[in-house]
Amino acid sequence: MKIVVTGGLGFIGSHTVVELQNEGFEVVAIDNLSNSSESVLDGIFNITGKKPIFEKMDLRDKASVQNFFKKHNDVAGVIHFAASKAVGESVENPLLYYENNINALVYVLQELKELPSANFIFSSSCTVYGQAEVMPITENASIQPAASPYGNTKQIGEEIITDVAKVTNINSILLRYFNPIGSHPSTEIGELPLGVPQNLVPFITQTGIGLREKLSVYGDDYPTPDGTAVRDYIHVVDLAKAHVIAMKRLLNKLNLDKVETFNLGTGTGSSVLEVITAFEKVSGQKLNYQIVGRREGDITSAYANTDKANNVLGWKAQSSLEDSLASAWKWEQKIRS
């Protein structure tokens, strides 16, 4: 069965391609290489013994999307990662985020609805909950006003998919993930942020390796035990496996609704200072960090209630925070050696 993975050479996309190929799927990876590298194909090959079909393409180009689905008219499902994803950048450049994250989604769905049957997994985010009122966050938590344009694109994306599913043959699962970190245990693929990392863990590992002078901790005056923001950090391989399970659920027609929603996290919240301490433990490196002011768009706390993913989807995160950080550190050491 042919599965299309948009953003397939990105951080989560590449790990999902690996897990799909390990399960025997034929994979077509689409990527415009704006935040990834074609060398990721070699890493995928080294793990699985097979390269996915690769199409370099920008999904904002409607004609290219139409031509792609004419060429690949035997697609069984699409896993849609392709999107810009930095909260801070989205505040500074909202139009880039609305164009990239909404237009690409619409163009893909327009082609999928023409297929006899279509299965669609959407890479969503816990940002749709904004600052949730109750922790841990269940799928029934109210959708708060978005704290950033990035978060808003995920809310709008979910609404578009829900509206389209009502009147087409598209079945969809919305996967709301918390904070993906780590790398493949083979160290063949991992997180490759271009420029200054926007996420905590690559900034930590780059500081640990000496690439960055110091780590900025945005705010120590949050109403949390140590004053720093709390997040739910999930190993990227655990996350990738959830996408394969979700796709099989749709292919086997086990979904109970046209659109289903699952939180993907560990169920445990860790503060920024706790992550730093855990990294120092697994790496043996002391981190140079400084407390600076809060960053616009950041929320206080977010961690998942994973009961629905565990019991309905049949998926559970396996790796601990220390496991995930150790794999991220191994990857950083490899790419800098």
Side-chain angles (χ1 to χ4, degrees):
M1 280 187 168
K2 185 184 282 184
I3 306 296
V4 174
V5 181
T6 73
L9 301 194
F11 176 39
I12 309 169
S14 60
H15 286 81
T16 302
V17 170
V18 163
E19 297 304 323
L20 285 165
Q21 291 193 167
N22 282 343
E23 291 288 315
F25 289 100
E26 181 183 6
V27 180
V28 186
I30 295 174
D31 209 296
N32 67 358
L33 304 180
S34 63
N35 196 29
S36 57
S37 163
E38 207 164 334
S39 65
V40 172
L41 290 167
D42 297 326
I44 293 170
F45 176 80
N46 291 341
I47 298 168
T48 65
K50 184 180 180 185
K51 280 188 183 177
I53 301 164
F54 174 55
E55 299 270 1
K56 186 185 175 189
M57 196 172 108
D58 193 323
L59 294 171
R60 290 173 295 185
D61 181 350
K62 185 172 182 174
S64 294
V65 179
Q66 291 171 329
N67 290 333
F68 173 87
F69 280 96
K70 281 187 190 126
K71 182 177 170 184
H72 298 280
N73 58 8
D74 55 345
V75 168
V78 172
I79 303 179
H80 184 58
F81 294 107
S84 304
K85 63 177 180 58
V87 167
E89 182 186 48
S90 78
V91 173
E92 292 163 12
N93 195 349
L95 285 175
L96 169 72
Y97 274 67
Y98 287 116
E99 181 192 31
N100 199 31
N101 295 8
I102 303 301
N103 289 13
L105 171 65
V106 168
Y107 297 156
V108 170
L109 291 174
Q110 282 175 335
E111 299 311 308
L112 277 186
K113 74 179 176 58
E114 302 303 322
L115 298 178
S117 69
N119 301 297
F120 189 76
I121 308 287
F122 182 58
S123 163
S124 193
S125 165
C126 63
T127 57
V128 300
Y129 299 114
Q131 180 53 68
E133 290 154 4
V134 178
M135 292 293 144
I137 301 169
T138 70
E139 289 81 357
N140 296 326
S142 59
I143 303 296
Q144 302 287 346
S148 68
Y150 164 70
N152 202 26
T153 65
K154 291 301 182 185
Q155 291 184 1
I156 294 166
E158 289 194 0
E159 290 168 4
I160 290 169
I161 293 161
T162 302
D163 288 342
V164 171
K166 285 175 188 167
V167 293
T168 67
N169 55 353
I170 296 173
N171 287 281
S172 182
I173 292 179
L174 313 174
L175 296 178
R176 293 174 178 162
Y177 12 107
F178 284 68
N179 292 64
I181 62 170
S183 76
H184 197 270
S186 66
T187 66
E188 289 290 347
I189 56 173
E191 193 163 8
L192 270 176
L194 300 184
V196 179
Q198 301 278 346
N199 296 335
L200 176 63
V201 170
F203 214 114
I204 283 177
T205 58
Q206 288 188 11
T207 306
I209 207 89
L211 196 64
R212 307 277 162 204
E213 183 190 350
K214 66 174 71 158
L215 170 73
S216 294
V217 175
Y218 295 103
D220 65 348
D221 57 350
Y222 286 102
T224 61
D226 64 20
T228 62
V230 169
R231 299 289 185 269
D232 186 338
Y233 295 93
I234 174 174
H235 196 294
V236 66
V237 173
D238 285 336
L239 189 61
K241 288 178 175 173
H243 289 76
V244 181
I245 292 168
M247 181 54 76
K248 285 182 171 179
R249 181 175 174 83
L250 292 180
L251 292 170
N252 294 324
K253 299 186 170 22
L254 299 174
N255 50 308
L256 303 177
D257 297 296
K258 290 276 288 178
V259 179
E260 295 184 318
T261 305
F262 296 96
N263 285 341
L264 298 180
T266 64
T268 301
S270 302
S271 73
V272 176
L273 292 181
E274 285 174 332
V275 175
I276 289 171
T277 301
F279 173 78
E280 290 180 336
K281 180 181 172 186
V282 300
S283 68
Q285 301 286 317
K286 282 300 286 179
L287 270 188
N288 183 23
Y289 68 89
Q290 64 175 3
I291 308 292
V292 298
R294 293 188 189 187
R295 187 171 52 178
E296 190 177 352
D298 280 348
I299 58 172
T300 300
S301 179
Y303 55 97
N305 179 313
T306 60
D307 290 350
K308 188 179 176 188
N310 299 164
N311 300 326
V312 179
L313 193 59
W315 167 90
K316 190 171 177 44
Q318 302 297 324
S319 294
S320 69
L321 177 64
E322 289 186 2
D323 293 337
S324 303
L325 290 168
S327 71
W329 179 235
K330 266 178 70 182
W331 167 249
E332 188 70 53
Q333 289 173 301
K334 179 190 172 177
I335 59 177
R336 305 300 166 198
S337 61

